[in-house]
């Protein structure tokens, strides 16, 4: 019986040494020391021994019990320490990891350019006016001397909402809306969205324009030139050259297009300016007497000039942006550069 007990002890101590978790140690405790444990089973047989042998075997069994208990306790401490260590490692916070940051938003490049341009004209005494994007054909075409059969009417590919109502193809209708409500002198600029059936690298079906209108007594083409040159020098830089070419618009007479020296090659000739050294940037002219008639202005007493240009195009030229779609794609990698 003593031999049995010794064997059980060796067996238990081996198992304890190999135990790697507190759960296994608990199983071992039950297996050897529990009510139905191996030691208890041996002690149950104590009665079959001679009375004088019983105390000896009993005390050995108790000794072994104590040894096993102590060993379990010791191993328990070791395993507990290891488990804790593992848990700490697993739950460790790496304070050197970069956090998830929320970027600061900023104004879209179009709005930045729009504000800059608006600021330049406000400095010169212009006021900001706005008008509806859903516009009547009357304001978009007819009152601007562009009747139904006028050839200029199909140069704009127009989005029709319903007969007589369109998405405005330019900001020029706001000229008429302002003149109907205001007596001269008038000096307004009109930033806003416009729409045309057009879509490629330099055209988007929706884009932004800036309109200008000045009406007063004794206004000449020289005033128009001076104003636009001042604007271009402020916006593109003092070294920017300017030229005017005769052109046709139904609502101005005479009409012109204005070019600036290429912002990329400074006029030497490159791909952007198609090797001409010049970039076309806006349309302008002296307000047509017919337009004054529609507005109810006395065209003997008053003269006026008007101009219109694409804000998106200005932004593209200023920052050498190759495609207008970049402005509307909402790609942060692109937009964050501005
Ligand atoms: N509305 C014209 C366009 O969208 C631009 C323009 C030309 C506006 C001449 C004007 C102007 O006010 O006088 O192409």
């Amino acid at each position: 019986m003593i031999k049995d007990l010794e064997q059980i002890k060796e067996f238990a101590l081996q198992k304890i040494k190999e135990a790697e978790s507190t759960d296994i140690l608990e199983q071992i405790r039950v297996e050897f020391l529990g009510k139905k444990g191996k030691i208890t089973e041996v002690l149950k047989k104590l009665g079959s021994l001679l009375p004088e042998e019983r105390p000896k075997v009993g005390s050995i069994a108790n000794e072994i019990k104590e040894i096993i208990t102590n060993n379990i306790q010791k191993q328990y401490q070791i395993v507990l320490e290891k488990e804790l260590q593992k848990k700490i490692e697993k739950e460790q916070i790496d304070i050197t990891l970069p956090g998830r940051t929320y970027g600061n938003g900023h104004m879209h490049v179009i709005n930045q350019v729009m504000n800059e341009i608006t600021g330049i004209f406000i400095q010169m005494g212009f006021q900001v006016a706005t008008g509806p994007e859903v516009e009547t054909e009357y304001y978009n075409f007819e009152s601007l001397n562009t009747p139904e059969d006028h050839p200029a009417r199909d140069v704009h590919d127009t989005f029709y909402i319903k007969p007589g109502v369109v998405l405005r193809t330019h900001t020029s209708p706001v000229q008429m809306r302002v003149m109907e409500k205001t007596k001269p002198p008038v000096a307004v600029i009109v930033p806003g969205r416009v729409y045309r059936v057009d879509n490629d690298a330099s055209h988007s079906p929706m884009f932004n324009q800036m309109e200008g209108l000045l009406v007063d007594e004794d206004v000449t083409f020289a005033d128009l030139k001076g104003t636009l040159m001042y604007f271009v020098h402020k916006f593109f830089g003092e070294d920017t050259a300017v030229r005017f070419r005769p052109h046709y618009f139904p609502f101005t007479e005479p009409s012109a297009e204005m070019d600036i020296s290429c912002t990329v090659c400074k006029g030497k000739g490159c791909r952007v300016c198609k090797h001409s050294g010049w970039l076309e940037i806006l349309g302008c002219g002296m307000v047509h007497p017919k337009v004054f008639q529609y507005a109810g202005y006395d065209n003997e007493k008053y003269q006026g000039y008007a101009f219109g240009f694409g804000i998106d195009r200005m932004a593209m030229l200023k920052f050498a942006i190759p495609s207008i779609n970049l402005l509307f794609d909402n790609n942060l990698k692109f937009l964050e550069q501005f």
Side-chain angles (χ1 to χ4, degrees), residues 172-188:
S172 304
V174 186
Q175 287 188 26
M176 190 53 60
R177 288 183 173 275
V178 168
M179 284 191 282
E180 279 182 352
K181 281 198 235 104
T182 327
K183 292 237 164 319
V186 167
V188 290

Side-chain angles (χ1 to χ4, degrees), residues 213-214 218-225 249-256 284-289 291-292 303-307:
L213 172 73
L214 183 137
D218 300 322
V219 178
T220 70
F221 201 94
D223 296 317
L224 172 60
K225 279 176 86 172
F249 295 104
F251 32 91
T252 43
E253 183 59 36
S255 302
C284 60
M286 302 306 289
V287 180
H288 198 289
V291 173
F292 277 160
Q303 301 81 47
Y305 64 71
F307 57 86

Side-chain angles (χ1 to χ4, degrees), residues 156 169-172 175 196 209 211-212 249 251-252 283-285 306-309:
H156 306 295
T169 58
H170 51 180
T171 41
S172 304
Q175 287 188 26
R196 286 180 202 175
Q209 273 193 341
E211 191 79 11
F249 295 104
F251 32 91
T252 43
C284 60
F307 57 86
F309 56 82

